[in-house]
Amino acid sequence: MTVAEWCVFGAVVLYLVTIVPFKAMGSPGFDNARPRDPGFYADPLRARALGAHLNGIETFPFFAAAVLLAEFRAVPQHLIDELAVLFLIVRAAYVFTYIGDRPTLRSILWGLGFAINTAIFFLPLIRRYAHF
């Protein structure tokens, strides 16, 4: 497997570990029979963790598709790998800023992550015209 493909897996793990600690550590009020109970997420910290978790789910399909498209179109693997690692680092920082209640920095990181992901997606087109 390539580094970028491991990063796709890492993106799944990241959005899972974003919310699991708040549920698994015996948080008061968490009922596994009702894992989506809105009352549990009334706490601001839990609400932000849920928001970061849901955003991870939302960004995952585009990231996975971009990596696979770039790999299928024979873009130099080192470029895909480097951008995928960078995307994962930015997403991890995004999670920390989301949970840490830093909305401006969070939005900047979201935009940066989207730009990186868009770059991965368009690498085949860029490669065609840049001849690398």
Side-chain angles (χ1 to χ4, degrees), residues 49-90:
L50 178 63
H53 169 74
L54 293 174
N55 187 265
I57 293 170
E58 293 163 358
T59 61
F60 176 76
F62 182 36
F63 177 60
V67 166
L68 293 175
L69 173 69
E71 288 187 342
F72 290 156
R73 294 295 180 179
V75 172
Q77 190 63 48
H78 71 93
L79 292 175
I80 303 167
D81 291 344
E82 290 165 4
L83 288 172
V85 168
L86 185 58
F87 175 80
L88 203 55
I89 291 168
V90 167

Side-chain angles (χ1 to χ4, degrees), residues 7-73:
C7 288
V8 169
F9 178 71
V12 172
V13 171
L14 179 61
Y15 77 68
L16 290 175
V17 297
T18 300
I19 197 70
V20 166
F22 295 92
K23 292 181 175 184
M25 292 191 304
S27 294
F30 180 70
D31 180 3
N32 198 40
R34 297 174 43 212
R36 294 192 172 110
D37 178 18
F40 179 73
Y41 299 103
D43 173 75
L45 183 61
R46 292 178 192 159
R48 290 192 304 271
L50 178 63
H53 169 74
L54 293 174
N55 187 265
I57 293 170
E58 293 163 358
T59 61
F60 176 76
F62 182 36
F63 177 60
V67 166
L68 293 175
L69 173 69
E71 288 187 342
F72 290 156
R73 294 295 180 179

